[in-house]
Amino acid sequence: MPAPAARRRTSARLISRPPPSQPRAPVSLSRSRSISGSIDESERRAGPGPLSDGTFILTGTLPELSREQSTALIRDAGGKVTGSVSKKTDYVVAGDSPGSKLAKAEELGVEILDEAGLRALLGS
């Protein structure tokens, strides 16, 4: 038990505070907002779900779902939607006229889904 108490004292000594004669610089409201709001909305995840921790790329036009609808479904199921294909990408959801993202996914061996495949993963 003496070790944890010693650790607490050591930690307390490491905290550096300015002397009382030197006032602290004020933190502006805009700076504190930028710190607290630094997570981009596209990076937020809804929580655990069937797509937890999966990274998805959307490319092309899906037959029935808009890009916004697809993104919302993936996030609500716990997945993350990003804008570019990399080795960390788990799935590319491809519709009509997919473009270079599809070629990059094929090159990297990323699993490619259509809208039906996405719905199957979602369980809907």
Side-chain angles (χ1 to χ4, degrees):
M1 283 291 201
R7 262 189 244 136
R8 272 186 255 140
R9 281 192 300 249
T10 303
S11 297
R13 277 189 251 140
L14 294 176
I15 296 173
S16 174
R17 294 189 179 140
S21 61
Q22 296 177 356
R24 291 183 182 185
V27 175
S28 72
L29 184 58
S30 61
R31 180 175 174 215
S32 64
R33 281 188 182 157
S34 68
I35 292 170
S36 65
S38 63
I39 297 174
D40 183 68
E41 186 61 35
S42 65
E43 298 295 319
R44 294 180 191 264
R45 294 184 188 182
L51 306 182
S52 288
D53 298 325
T55 301
F56 290 77
I57 302 292
L58 302 173
T59 185
T61 305
L62 298 177
E64 295 178 21
L65 294 172
S66 70
R67 188 167 296 260
E68 292 78 21
Q69 291 170 323
S70 327
T71 299
L73 287 171
I74 291 167
R75 285 194 192 127
D76 290 347
K80 175 181 169 183
V81 178
T82 62
S84 59
V85 180
S86 73
K87 290 186 281 186
K88 294 181 180 181
T89 304
D90 296 304
Y91 300 97
V92 169
V93 181
D96 293 334
S97 305
S100 63
K101 291 179 185 178
L102 180 61
K104 179 75 172 180
E106 289 171 340
E107 179 184 313
L108 294 173
V110 174
E111 188 169 345
I112 299 166
L113 305 172
D114 58 3
E115 185 176 323
L118 174 62
R119 289 183 184 270
L121 280 178
L122 291 166
S124 59

